[in-house]
Amino acid sequence: EPEVTQTPSHQVTQMGQEVILRCVPISNHLYFYWYRQILGQKVEFLVSFYNNEISEKSEIFDDQFSVERPDGSNFTLKIRSTKLEDSAMYFCASSVAVGYTFGSGTRLTVV
Amino acid sequence: QKEVEQNSGPLSVPEGAIASLNCTYSDRGSQSFFWYRQYSGKSPELIMSIYSNGDKEDGRFTAQLNKASQYVSLLIRDSQPSDSATYLCAVNDSGGSNYKLTFGKGTLLTVNP
């Protein structure tokens, strides 16, 4: 069964450093998303991406965040200057339409 | 602010029993509703989707939707210890673009052998 692949599975970074989280969506999917889940809290929408541009972003997705689809397969989330409160699980997802498949996630720990 | 509310639990049922999980949502325009299962430390896994009022069955799972009451439920028949997980209700945001989902906080289900 096709999968959404995320790397790395766990990243530890120092506060103020830049991180890039990587995702390979399912190949025939058109819509791509990033969500995050702080420990013990809800899964929260960050951004959706379609046709090579951001289609919607949440208030969490401020100027410190950016997304990119640098080639035909990868979809990345960059956090420019990490804060302690960015520590969370970050999930990539992709879909053809509504109801999507999540990747296994990247646990980001900011110290 | 669009909200999806679930009882956080824990909901504890004996093996073989029916587990009933409930969800209410605030966005009256929502058209698509999902149940995801999340094991501790893992990503959400889609188990059911429902789009119209009534019941939808898939194996041991039945999703129920009542748009007038803004209520979605999930029944798990013949519960197994492997069903022990957090169940997330997710609702498509009617005002957003491209299938954005709003999630509830989830209900922790424990199935006791």
Side-chain angles (χ1 to χ4, degrees):
Chain A
E1 186 167 329
E3 289 185 343
V4 176
T5 305
Q6 287 188 246
T7 54
S9 57
H10 189 188
Q11 178 146 6
V12 181
T13 189
Q14 290 206 324
M15 192 168 52
Q17 295 297 304
E18 174 183 288
V19 295
I20 298 176
L21 310 183
R22 301 181 192 280
C23 171
V24 179
I26 294 172
S27 62
N28 64 332
H29 284 188
L30 304 174
Y31 302 92
F32 314 114
Y33 314 83
W34 285 99
Y35 283 76
R36 79 171 186 191
Q37 187 176 32
I38 295 170
L39 188 63
Q41 298 190 24
K42 294 183 183 188
V43 175
E44 300 176 290
F45 171 79
L46 292 178
V47 66
S48 60
F49 193 87
Y50 170 72
N51 201 23
N52 286 318
E53 61 182 19
I54 290 174
S55 49
E56 187 173 356
K57 58 185 180 180
S58 71
E59 60 275 9
I60 302 168
F61 194 90
D62 61 20
D63 292 345
Q64 294 301 310
F65 291 86
S66 62
V67 290
E68 199 174 42
R69 188 157 162 81
D71 53 41
S73 59
N74 290 285
F75 179 50
T76 62
L77 174 69
K78 182 193 293 186
I79 309 175
R80 219 176 318 276
S81 177
T82 49
K83 307 184 187 75
L84 294 176
E85 54 265 35
D86 294 328
S87 294
M89 282 289 285
Y90 287 80
F91 297 113
C92 174
S94 69
S95 71
V96 174
V98 67
Y100 29 81
T101 304
F102 283 91
S104 56
T106 294
R107 179 172 298 283
L108 177 66
T109 303
V110 183
V111 297
Chain B
Q1 181 78 355
K2 292 164 185 175
E3 298 287 343
V4 176
E5 299 291 341
Q6 298 180 252
N7 290 328
S8 59
L11 173 65
S12 185
V13 300
E15 185 174 354
I18 296 175
S20 177
L21 305 160
N22 305 313
C23 170
T24 58
Y25 60 94
S26 65
D27 183 359
R28 189 167 283 280
S30 294
Q31 297 295 320
S32 306
F33 307 88
F34 305 91
W35 284 98
Y36 284 84
R37 177 174 61 200
Q38 187 177 33
Y39 294 112
S40 181
K42 302 296 186 182
S43 62
E45 175 193 5
L46 180 64
I47 54 171
M48 288 288 288
S49 58
I50 188 166
Y51 308 106
S52 52
N53 282 328
D55 295 1
K56 178 182 177 183
E57 187 174 315
D58 184 0
R60 295 187 296 112
F61 298 98
T62 299
Q64 299 173 315
L65 173 61
N66 183 326
K67 289 184 182 178
S69 301
Q70 295 174 245
Y71 175 87
V72 195
S73 67
L74 179 71
L75 300 178
I76 307 174
R77 288 182 300 282
D78 187 24
S79 296
Q80 301 297 309
S82 58
D83 295 327
S84 298
T86 297
Y87 288 80
L88 309 178
C89 176
V91 176
N92 176 226
D93 181 356
S94 67
S97 60
N98 298 140
Y99 314 120
K100 172 190 169 186
L101 294 182
T102 298
F103 283 82
K105 198 171 178 184
T107 298
L108 176 61
L109 172 66
T110 301
V111 180
N112 301 306

